[in-house]
């Protein structure tokens, strides 16, 4: 028997084991059809049921109001960085779109948007190496803007918005890629939320986009059909061949989440997991967190050791005991433990045990 490996990778990330087992078990013969889920038409009634089921489960899990559409859009999260201004900048006569820069993906989001609108960064924490969520108060939000975009959880650093800014009539758009369904949120506060599937939902390459219906009316005429949210909503995400496999796996992950007790239940476990690691970091000078404590989320725990040599040794020895993919993002360095919904408590406990032992041997 090979040893149990815990995958702390940031994305693509681990999926729940029971989901992987079900995918394996029915891979060659989907529901007695004698063919695989990846071999049937996206317009087959069996796939249509998969899609509608996934959307319904998402709606139940989030208590999503009826006036929101759930879309599966090609291109992962980053494609939405362009799709958002294409679809929504037209809400403002001057195409003014507001962004908060709280990390690497937040920065990319406004960079990609620049081709399609008058992009204004109203707050940034770049000057303190993204160790916090920058303060935003309502007076900073121009009510003539098309929208305000924020990154819910900053994947490289582990910081998150504990509460989202009040935006008045300006729709709030949240990139939830690394925290989708990890905590209870009131979706009626959002104009649009979206996530690449590969962190908390399923395979890479597709994004789940949730958008309020009244926001479907502003797409620029240049918007490619496959990025046009109104077209996508009208075709229920089947404008062309959808990523059927990704949607199928996502549906199973959503079913698994319901079996765990839903978002409130997983949120409790996520808090417990993050607390184990942050308590350990707070109890020693040996491990140093990269963000200020009041901005900590529960999905990505990023920290440093006293030297790069020790970090290299830590990663090597962690790998040898089955703690996989703990290396921090190439632009930040250090260690990052991504502990998404699918990471069991036992994986976090094993990592904490390894950290304590490493400190006592190398401290
Ligand atoms: C991973 C990530 C992305 C990029 O996702 P892709 O699907 O690779 O485009 C964007 N935003 C956030 C917050 C992420 O964590």
């Amino acid at each position: 028997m090979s040893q149990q490996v815990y995958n702390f990778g940031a994305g693509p990330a681990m999926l729940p084991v029971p989901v992987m087992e079900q995918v394996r078990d029915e891979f060659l013969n989907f529901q007695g059809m004698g063919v695989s889920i990846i071999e049937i038409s996206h317009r087959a009634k069996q796939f249509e049921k998969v899609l509608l089921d996934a959307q319904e489960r998402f709606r139940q899990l989030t208590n999503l109001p009826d006036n929101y559409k759930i879309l599966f859009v090609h291109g992962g999260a980053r494609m939405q960085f362009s799709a958002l201004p294409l679809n929504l900048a037209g809400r403002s006569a001057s195409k003014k779109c507001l962004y908060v820069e709280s990390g690497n993906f937040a920065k990319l989001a406004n960079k990609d948007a620049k081709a399609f609108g008058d992009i204004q960064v109203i707050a940034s924490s770049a000057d303190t190496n993204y160790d916090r969520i920058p303060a935003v108060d309502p007076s900073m939000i121009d009510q003539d803007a098309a929208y305000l975009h924020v990154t819910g959880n900053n994947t490289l650093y582990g910081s998150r918005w504990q509460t989202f800014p009040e935006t008045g009539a300006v729709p709030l758009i949240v990139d939830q890629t690394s925290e989708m369904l990890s905590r209870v949120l009131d979706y009626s506060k959002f104009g649009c939320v979206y996530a690449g599937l590969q962190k908390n939902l399923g395979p890479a390459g597709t994004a789940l986009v949730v958008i309020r219906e009244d926001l479907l009316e502003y797409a620029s005429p240049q918007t490619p059909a496959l990025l046009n949210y109104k077209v996508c909503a009208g075709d229920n995400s089947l404008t062309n061949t959808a990523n059927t496999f990704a949607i199928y796996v996502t549906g199973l992950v959503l079913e698994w989440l319901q079996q765990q007790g839903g978002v409130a239940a997983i949120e409790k476990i996520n808090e417990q997991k993050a607390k184990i690691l942050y308590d350990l970091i707070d109890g020693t000078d040996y491990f140093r967190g990269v963000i200020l404590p009041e901005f900590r989320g529960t999905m990505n725990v990023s920290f440093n050791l006293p030297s790069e040599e020790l970090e290299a040794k830590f990663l090597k020895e962690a790998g040898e005991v089955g703690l996989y993919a703990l290396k921090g993002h190439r632009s930040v360095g250090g260690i990052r433990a991504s502990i998404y919904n699918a990471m069991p408590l036992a994986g976090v406990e094993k990592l904490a045990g390894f950290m304590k032992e490493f400190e006592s041997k190398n401290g």
Side-chain angles (χ1 to χ4, degrees):
M1 267 290 285
S2 56
Q3 70 174 334
Q4 158 102 54
V5 172
Y6 290 108
N7 179 4
F8 292 90
M14 70 170 294
L15 292 173
V17 173
V19 168
M20 301 293 279
E21 286 169 347
Q22 185 173 344
V23 171
R24 177 198 62 200
D25 291 347
E26 60 190 21
F27 192 63
L28 297 184
N29 183 1
F30 183 65
Q31 295 180 352
M33 295 175 76
V35 292
S36 174
I37 180 71
I38 65 167
E39 299 175 310
I40 66 172
S41 169
H42 54 301
R43 309 207 186 272
K45 66 178 189 309
Q46 291 88 347
F47 178 75
E48 190 190 15
K49 181 165 185 319
V50 166
L51 172 62
L52 295 176
D53 248 36
Q55 289 167 322
E56 185 50 33
R57 289 184 196 282
F58 185 90
R59 202 171 278 284
Q60 290 166 3
L61 281 161
T62 55
N63 236 330
L64 191 67
D66 289 341
N67 61 328
Y68 286 76
K69 296 285 190 196
I70 302 166
L71 316 175
F72 289 95
V73 184
H74 297 287
R78 185 161 178 185
M79 189 65 95
Q80 313 321 309
F81 295 174
S82 297
L84 288 163
L86 278 164
N87 280 279
L88 287 163
R91 260 199 90 249
S92 151
S94 58
K95 297 202 169 183
K96 187 183 294 174
C97 307
L98 310 180
Y99 282 76
V100 177
E101 207 170 272
S102 55
N104 167 75
F105 286 114
K107 187 174 174 177
L108 271 179
N110 75 67
K111 178 171 168 261
D112 284 2
K114 284 191 176 114
F116 309 110
D118 171 15
I119 304 308
Q120 304 194 356
V121 176
I122 60 165
S124 170
S125 51
D127 57 351
T128 53
N129 292 322
Y130 302 121
D131 66 346
R132 68 195 69 193
I133 301 289
V136 172
D137 79 73
S139 70
M140 296 159 74
I141 299 165
D142 181 343
Q143 291 297 309
D144 289 334
Y147 60 80
L148 171 69
H149 179 280
V150 303
T151 307
N153 181 77
N154 296 281
T155 319
L156 274 57
Y157 317 86
S159 59
R160 78 171 183 195
W161 293 82
Q162 308 298 6
T163 57
F164 289 98
E166 292 297 332
T167 58
V170 175
L172 177 62
I173 300 182
V174 186
D175 177 356
Q176 283 211 289
T177 299
S178 55
E179 65 158 1
M180 185 57 99
L181 302 180
S182 69
R183 54 170 163 159
V184 175
L185 293 172
D186 176 0
Y187 277 71
S188 70
K189 300 242 187 232
F190 305 126
C192 173
V193 301
Y194 65 101
L197 299 182
Q198 71 274 20
K199 283 154 192 166
N200 247 344
L201 296 172
T206 292
L208 188 151
V209 176
V210 176
I211 185 162
R212 216 173 61 211
E213 274 167 1
D214 60 287
L215 298 177
L216 294 172
E217 304 304 325
Y218 301 100
S220 130
Q222 279 77 38
T223 311
L226 293 182
L227 296 183
N228 185 314
Y229 294 155
K230 185 172 186 181
V231 172
C232 198
D235 295 331
N236 198 18
S237 302
L238 297 176
T239 304
N240 76 330
T241 314
N243 187 337
T244 51
F245 184 70
I247 294 168
Y248 154 74
V249 176
T250 297
L252 296 181
V253 171
L254 297 176
E255 185 178 4
W256 171 84
L257 193 50
Q258 289 179 314
Q259 289 161 357
Q260 307 311 299
V263 180
I266 209 83
E267 178 176 19
K268 278 216 183 81
I269 299 170
N270 288 336
E271 280 167 2
Q272 200 184 345
K273 289 185 304 187
K275 187 171 187 309
I276 290 172
L277 297 181
Y278 278 126
D279 280 353
L280 201 157
I281 288 169
D282 289 341
T284 170
D285 291 333
Y286 193 74
F287 300 108
R288 275 165 295 124
V290 306
I291 55 166
L292 300 175
E294 61 266 42
F295 299 103
R296 288 170 176 171
T298 59
M299 296 283 96
N300 311 95
V301 178
S302 293
F303 58 92
N304 289 103
L305 273 67
S307 71
E308 283 185 23
E309 292 67 38
L310 283 166
E311 286 170 351
K313 187 166 192 251
F314 180 96
L315 290 170
K316 179 170 176 292
E317 292 179 8
E320 286 163 6
V321 297
L323 301 168
Y324 173 70
L326 282 160
K327 196 170 169 30
H329 187 270
R330 57 198 146 80
S331 69
V332 178
I335 314 295
R336 170 176 54 181
S338 294
I339 49 174
Y340 300 124
N341 286 350
M343 173 60 68
L345 190 58
V348 173
E349 283 168 344
K350 178 159 175 178
L351 171 59
F354 173 80
M355 287 168 70
K356 280 184 209 147
E357 198 183 311
F358 190 88
E359 179 182 358
S360 72
K361 283 190 191 149
N362 299 279

